[in-house]
Amino acid sequence: MEKYNPQEVEKKWQQVWNAPDYYRTVEDSSRPKYYALEMFPYPSGNLHMGHVRNYSIGDVVARYRMMAGYNVLHPMGFDAFGMPAENAAIAHGVKPGDWTFANIKNMTAQQKAMGLAYDWEREVETCREDYYRWTQWLFELFYKRGLAYKKEAAVNWCDKCGTVLANEQVVDGKCWRCDSEVHKKNLAQWFFKITAYADELLADLDKLKGWPNRVKIMQENWIGRSEGLEFAMDVPALNEKISVYTTRPDTAFGITFLALAPEHPLIEKICAVSPNADAVKNFCEHAKSQSDIERTSSESEKEGIFTGVYCVNPFNGREVQIWVTNYVVFEYGTGAVMAVPTHDERDWMFATKYGLEKIWVIDNPKSPLDFDTMTNAYVDKEGVLINSGKFTGMEMHQAMSAIIDFAEAQGFGKRKVNYRLRDWLISRQRYWGAPIPVIYCDKCGEVLVPEDELPVKLPDDVEFKQGALSPLSTSKTFNECTCPKCGGHAHRETDTMDTFICSSWYYMRYTDPHNDKMPFARDKVNYWSPVDQYIGGIEHAILHLLYSRFFTKVLRDAGLLDYDEPFANLLTQGMVIKDGAKMSKSLGNVVSPEEIINQYGADTARLFILFAAPVERDLDWSDEGVQGSFRFLNRVWRIIHIFANNFDTSAQNLTAEEISLRRTLHKTIKKVTEDVRDRFAFNTAISALMELVNAMHAFQDKPINPNLARELARDLLIMLAPFVPHIAAELWSKFFEGDVHKQSWTTFDPAAIVEDEVEIVIQINGKVREHVKVAVGLSKSDLEKLAPTLPRVDELTAGKKIVKVIAVPGKLINIVVK
RNA sequence: GCCGAAGUGGCGGAAUUGGCAGACGCAGCAGACUCAAAAUCUGCCGUAGGCAACUACGUGCCGGUUCGAGUCCGGCCUUCGGCACCA
């Protein structure tokens, strides 16, 4: 028997799998389809352990489904536009495209060294013209459907990245990529109208039965739907109205002031009549200069200034002061808030600080409030209205709808649904992205580039300088053009698209990657979609997964596809941790996949990473654990060779020991199948395989029935194939015909797992006192009768009274004594 | 503050429907093989007491339901994640 040499074995099989037709996928209506997908990577240059984990999980899923008779689509590609390529251009003078393609080449080689079962002919690279042509085409589709628009707004600007960011890409006031602080800037930018789909994006979360609950909850929070009342308050001094939005119309009689965001357009008019206009203007400047964190943290100091102007509460006719404050968010609702200090914590703090009036309008009849000594707002969702005119005495929830009805009947307000979700800012002042296909004509204004002129190609003659200027605007060949409508003088949009747009539809392109008439054919995308199993990191819970859901719904409404949700099942893998922290260069705890693969082989790396932790949980890297996995593969290598020595011996009837070993095999088949198919419990599937190999080891020095030896070797290799494809293929080729990866998944023989005896537990007062073997199928009453006849039971219950006997067939007998 | 997840040996983890807590692996200890070491194989391995059979305790804490709770219920504690002045 030669030694297990993973380097040699893996190289050999990777060459076999690299043949163009080995993993080629075609539509086939005779088999059920299965679309297995891992989130495609950014081509940073090297795989890290997070990638290895992601692809190992996906490969087990795909390979198992292939063997289980499904027509499996399992593609890979690269999210190839993005800033690091551009930064490399600035730092080292290399072209972003050259840098990117070199990285893709390197990473593809690393992926191939992992032995992954991909159809490489479907590879997608988002930076290639034949891909971004369709990204631009989709932008135009959104534009034509009124879902892409340009607007001047205060947007998030990252100095370090030299570009604007979408709300989803700002984390705790910082840039999601470089972690530097983001500030507001007024710029005219392109947006996608994701808010038009807010309701459906929220409602359809219910359809996603195969998604982790926490991801759905995160999206729900992000969309942030609320119901309430929007109503107008008169400003007599200006002969104007201010609209406010509230979710607590039941507290409307407690309004004591009105709070405006410093950006509110009415402030200018107020200043025209205000006695302290200068102070108000100064305050607004000050508030606007505060950083995002200062402005939006609930712990920040609330500040404000009285404008000297009043408005009228339409419910009771009271005049209330108009204040400008730093805690009202302009982008949400109407940018103006009715303030009720007694029933809102923020208003309480503000009113206390500035000595404003507090009027209580809700009391709790169950435990009446002592208003004179209250030090907080009363915000519980329970109570009855007081001091509220004709609504006094009404239960607060009834009062909410009654007050809304009243406002609607009087014509000064209406029911309103609001969302926290904002439109998606998609412009980026960067080079390495898909150019926005828009032309600005001196006469015609904003014009789309005609479809047959797509793609708008990225020019080569640009200067890569950090700053507010889009690199494309430095190109001499790109900028100037003629108007497609009138032929007159025009110039191009020089911003590119957020790369999240490229990744919002790549999984559709995989279904028809070489189509040069359309982004994809409708019948192909419908055949393969939705993705049956999507696998990736939790960090995309909102970003990529929300954007992709939005894209799917827009493309459905445009008639390009016929389903509502892109990803039927989602698996969010945990991080790879070492020494208690995420692997990172700065901590110096990075383990390179390349080194592990060189030392032990890809099979060992895959096995360890799948065995060490459940897929959803963080995984602690352990060098000793890797050695353990390598040891196991060596055990497999030896035991298969030993068993194969018995293949040609003469067959006898199975001994009792052999029957028991066969039972272990079939129980293992059942468990591994269920763990892989239903639970993604790869760690327990592998532990069951280890137990089987341990059981086989009891026969290492004994002759074994040749039929059983063959059955064990065969089924073990089939079950190992999705996890450790190279060693399984090699051992199979040595002792069996054909290719292990083209075998049907093995099934268990129900007759083989039947036991004739079961061990049941005897408990006395719930404590285990004895184990007995009984015939299988003994009924409840048989067991109850059996219990008192056991000598041990007799001994332990001597002198005590048996109160009750509980029997669970096949499990236990519990005797209750006093 | 609100929402969510988790807490089990020295470590990673198992226990799928309320029924033997600690499968499997790592580390450790002992033995076999060897001149020796490595590799391999075998056994032991929650804590305390005991030569042992065995006994008591034990799944973050307190209480409850149940013949029986890691699992269910109520109340806390800790850690991690998300949202966070959204009216």
Side-chain angles (χ1 to χ4, degrees):
Chain A
M1 174 178 79
E2 74 251 59
K3 232 179 109 197
Y4 168 45
N5 182 338
Q7 286 74 22
E8 207 172 279
V9 166
E10 296 187 354
K11 210 171 159 196
K12 170 180 163 187
W13 289 98
Q14 281 159 20
Q15 272 169 14
V16 173
W17 302 334
N18 209 25
D21 59 344
Y22 194 91
Y23 285 117
R24 182 180 291 150
T25 316
V26 288
E27 293 73 22
D28 173 4
S29 56
S30 71
R31 287 183 292 161
K33 69 91 185 176
Y34 193 92
Y35 188 174
L37 183 66
E38 299 105 64
M39 290 180 183
F40 69 165
Y42 179 78
S44 57
N46 282 293
L47 293 190
H48 55 68
M49 280 302 171
H51 292 124
V52 174
R53 190 172 194 195
N54 192 195
Y55 308 148
S56 297
I57 293 166
D59 206 45
V60 174
V61 172
R63 286 183 183 273
Y64 163 73
R65 291 287 166 176
M66 287 174 190
M67 295 173 84
Y70 289 81
N71 186 28
V72 174
L73 175 59
H74 189 216
M76 180 43 69
F78 290 91
D79 189 11
F81 271 139
M83 287 218 332
E86 208 167 328
N87 294 339
I90 294 164
H92 307 112
V94 285
K95 285 184 181 171
D98 293 348
W99 183 89
T100 303
F101 287 114
N103 284 350
I104 288 175
K105 199 178 163 201
N106 200 37
M107 285 174 81
T108 306
Q110 291 171 344
Q111 286 167 326
K112 289 190 173 175
M114 279 185 67
L116 304 166
Y118 293 132
D119 177 359
W120 282 107
E121 290 184 347
R122 290 176 182 263
E123 184 185 356
V124 153
E125 289 156 5
T126 59
C127 66
R128 286 201 331 230
E129 283 173 16
D130 62 358
Y131 185 88
Y132 75 72
R133 168 186 179 186
W134 298 112
T135 305
Q136 292 172 341
W137 187 89
L138 288 169
F139 172 93
E140 299 197 346
L141 178 94
F142 275 61
Y143 185 92
K144 288 168 191 163
R145 298 183 68 79
L147 296 168
Y149 65 93
K150 196 172 191 180
K151 173 182 89 170
E152 168 146 349
V155 296
N156 307 300
W157 177 268
C158 173
D159 271 331
K160 194 166 173 206
C161 295
T163 185
V164 295
L165 298 167
N167 282 315
E168 289 80 6
Q169 293 154 24
V170 180
V171 181
D172 290 332
K174 290 174 181 165
C175 172
W176 73 297
R177 264 201 184 283
C178 72
D179 218 33
S180 54
E181 208 158 290
V182 165
H183 58 94
K184 293 280 180 192
K185 219 173 179 176
N186 272 310
L187 289 168
Q189 298 287 303
W190 284 94
F191 290 84
F192 273 3
K193 209 178 205 166
I194 191 169
T195 53
Y197 285 81
D199 241 341
E200 202 192 339
L201 286 167
L202 181 67
D204 281 0
L205 288 171
D206 279 345
K207 292 184 184 167
L208 301 173
K209 307 283 183 223
W211 278 41
N213 224 10
R214 60 174 180 149
V215 175
K216 289 191 273 187
I217 288 167
M218 282 161 77
Q219 292 210 355
E220 196 180 317
N221 290 342
W222 189 260
I223 295 166
R225 183 182 198 273
S226 74
E227 289 178 14
L229 168 70
E230 190 172 303
F231 66 96
M233 297 176 92
D234 283 328
V235 187
L238 300 174
N239 199 22
E240 288 267 3
K241 289 178 195 300
I242 298 179
S243 266
V244 297
Y245 172 74
T246 181
T247 56
R248 291 295 305 274
D250 55 314
T251 64
F253 285 77
I255 302 174
T256 56
F257 64 101
L258 181 89
L260 293 180
E263 294 87 355
H264 200 284
L266 211 65
I267 291 174
E268 207 177 309
K269 287 183 182 168
I270 287 173
C271 284
V273 297
S274 169
N276 51 343
D278 287 346
V280 170
K281 278 179 193 161
N282 283 341
F283 175 82
C284 289
E285 286 314 306
H286 157 74
K288 285 185 205 168
S289 74
Q290 287 184 312
S291 76
D292 247 46
I293 302 171
E294 287 171 299
R295 279 286 295 276
T296 60
S297 166
S298 52
E299 272 133 56
S300 298
E301 182 71 13
K302 289 166 190 31
E303 296 171 8
I305 186 166
F306 177 42
T307 59
V309 177
Y310 292 79
C311 65
V312 180
N313 178 349
F315 289 95
N316 58 10
R318 276 178 65 105
E319 276 210 327
V320 296
Q321 300 183 346
I322 299 176
W323 285 63
V324 179
T325 70
N326 65 344
Y327 72 91
V328 173
V329 178
F330 176 62
E331 290 85 6
Y332 183 78
T334 60
V337 172
M338 66 174 220
V340 183
T342 47
H343 302 289
D344 181 283
E345 282 173 34
R346 297 153 301 185
D347 297 342
W348 177 279
M349 278 190 264
F350 191 84
T352 304
K353 179 173 176 179
Y354 292 102
L356 298 167
E357 197 182 2
K358 293 169 182 164
I359 301 172
W360 295 92
V361 289
I362 310 255
D363 196 2
N364 186 349
K366 285 183 191 158
S367 58
L369 304 171
D370 180 3
F371 298 126
D372 296 336
T373 60
M374 290 286 283
T375 54
N376 281 310
Y378 176 74
V379 295
D380 295 5
K381 295 281 166 17
E382 190 184 0
V384 166
L385 269 64
I386 56 172
N387 302 326
S388 296
K390 67 172 183 170
F391 301 99
T392 298
M394 208 179 263
E395 191 278 325
M396 64 179 278
H397 293 93
Q398 289 172 348
M400 286 200 199
S401 47
I403 287 177
I404 294 174
D405 290 345
F406 175 76
E408 287 189 333
Q410 297 291 308
F412 62 80
K414 59 178 191 300
R415 242 184 202 82
K416 182 83 199 281
V417 173
N418 255 314
Y419 297 94
R420 215 192 68 105
L421 182 72
R422 312 284 154 78
D423 278 342
W424 176 12
L425 200 178
I426 60 138
S427 319
R428 295 292 178 272
Q429 289 69 45
R430 302 299 306 200
Y431 168 78
W432 195 232
I436 294 172
V438 170
I439 286 169
Y440 303 102
C441 169
D442 297 346
K443 281 198 209 109
C444 314
E446 203 173 272
V447 184
L448 286 180
V449 173
E451 274 180 36
D452 57 11
E453 286 175 27
L454 295 179
V456 176
K457 292 183 191 174
L458 282 171
D460 276 333
D461 58 335
V462 292
E463 279 175 52
F464 297 108
K465 271 191 195 152
Q466 289 277 14
L469 214 57
S470 297
L472 287 184
S473 64
T474 67
S475 165
K476 292 194 173 60
T477 55
F478 184 84
N479 219 339
E480 305 283 316
C481 62
T482 52
C483 173
K485 260 192 196 162
C486 70
H489 179 259
H491 65 277
R492 291 185 191 276
E493 169 66 57
T494 55
D495 284 353
T496 54
M497 287 184 238
D498 182 1
T499 57
F500 277 102
I501 292 179
C502 309
S503 58
S504 290
W505 72 282
Y506 78 103
Y507 48 91
M508 300 169 182
R509 181 69 176 176
Y510 280 143
T511 68
D512 192 11
H514 307 294
N515 195 327
D516 61 0
K517 304 280 184 296
M518 288 288 284
F520 45 81
R522 187 166 154 179
D523 57 339
K524 290 195 174 172
V525 82
N526 282 339
Y527 170 80
W528 288 111
S529 303
V531 172
D532 292 280
Q533 189 61 55
Y534 199 27
I535 305 160
I538 186 77
E539 67 271 19
H540 287 294
I542 293 167
L543 295 155
H544 164 60
L545 291 168
L546 187 66
Y547 296 147
S548 294
R549 294 183 61 222
F550 167 51
F551 255 67
T552 302
K553 291 174 192 307
V554 174
L555 270 48
R556 175 205 58 197
D557 289 348
L560 267 65
L561 47 82
D562 299 301
Y563 50 92
D564 300 320
E565 287 289 338
F567 313 121
N569 299 289
L570 174 69
L571 195 155
T572 50
Q573 67 185 74
M575 288 187 299
V576 182
I577 301 283
K578 186 151 188 278
D579 310 324
K582 187 180 179 175
M583 285 187 183
S584 77
K585 274 182 202 151
S586 56
L587 289 168
N589 60 350
V590 176
V591 178
S592 139
E594 218 165 9
E595 277 172 37
I596 297 292
I597 290 171
N598 287 341
Q599 194 176 350
Y600 297 101
D603 283 342
T604 294
R606 294 169 55 128
L607 186 72
F608 168 72
I609 229 163
L610 293 165
F611 174 64
V615 287
E616 302 238 358
R617 252 196 264 178
D618 286 351
L619 182 152
D620 239 3
W621 185 265
S622 148
D623 293 329
E624 293 79 15
V626 176
Q627 282 179 40
S629 293
F630 184 61
R631 258 199 295 272
F632 172 71
L633 292 182
N634 277 290
R635 270 163 81 80
V636 168
W637 182 267
R638 276 193 306 274
I639 202 72
I640 295 287
H641 277 85
I642 291 168
F643 272 47
N645 269 336
N646 285 285
F647 282 1
D648 299 324
T649 59
S650 60
Q652 315 265 318
N653 286 337
L654 294 185
T655 64
E657 225 184 340
E658 286 170 337
I659 289 171
S660 162
L661 178 61
R662 183 156 189 267
R663 185 177 296 131
T664 303
L665 168 66
H666 284 271
K667 280 179 161 177
T668 305
I669 297 172
K670 183 170 190 286
K671 173 151 181 70
V672 171
T673 304
E674 289 168 358
D675 280 356
V676 172
R677 184 191 58 204
D678 307 332
R679 304 205 302 148
F680 303 107
F682 304 134
N683 55 330
T684 53
I686 291 166
S687 83
L689 290 167
M690 287 173 169
E691 284 180 84
L692 176 63
V693 170
N694 290 347
M696 288 165 74
H697 253 78
F699 283 81
Q700 63 178 322
D701 300 321
K702 285 188 264 193
I704 182 167
N705 178 293
N707 296 331
L708 179 60
R710 191 173 273 279
E711 187 184 10
L712 279 158
R714 178 186 174 275
D715 288 352
L716 175 62
L717 292 177
I718 286 176
M719 286 189 282
L720 284 171
F723 299 97
V724 284
H726 310 87
I727 191 175
E730 177 68 12
L731 287 168
W732 185 275
S733 74
K734 284 179 120 157
F735 305 116
F736 295 94
E737 293 296 309
D739 180 344
V740 70
H741 296 289
K742 307 279 184 190
Q743 303 302 307
S744 290
W745 185 252
T746 182
T747 51
F748 71 95
D749 172 5
I753 61 175
V754 172
E755 318 240 8
D756 19 291
E757 280 196 316
V758 273
E759 193 180 77
I760 65 163
V761 165
I762 312 293
Q763 298 182 334
I764 295 183
N765 288 345
K767 296 196 184 221
V768 179
R769 286 294 181 255
E770 177 71 314
H771 297 85
V772 285
K773 286 212 164 169
V774 300
V776 162
L778 229 52
S779 74
K780 206 169 163 206
S781 59
D782 290 339
L783 288 172
E784 279 164 11
K785 278 178 219 146
L786 170 79
T789 68
L790 297 165
R792 172 96 176 126
V793 171
D794 204 37
E795 199 181 298
L796 286 163
T797 57
K800 287 173 187 153
K801 193 180 152 212
I802 296 180
V803 182
K804 201 173 178 184
V805 177
I806 294 120
V808 182
K811 291 253 166 78
L812 57 69
I813 303 169
N814 188 13
I815 300 160
V816 186
V817 298
K818 249 189 195 161

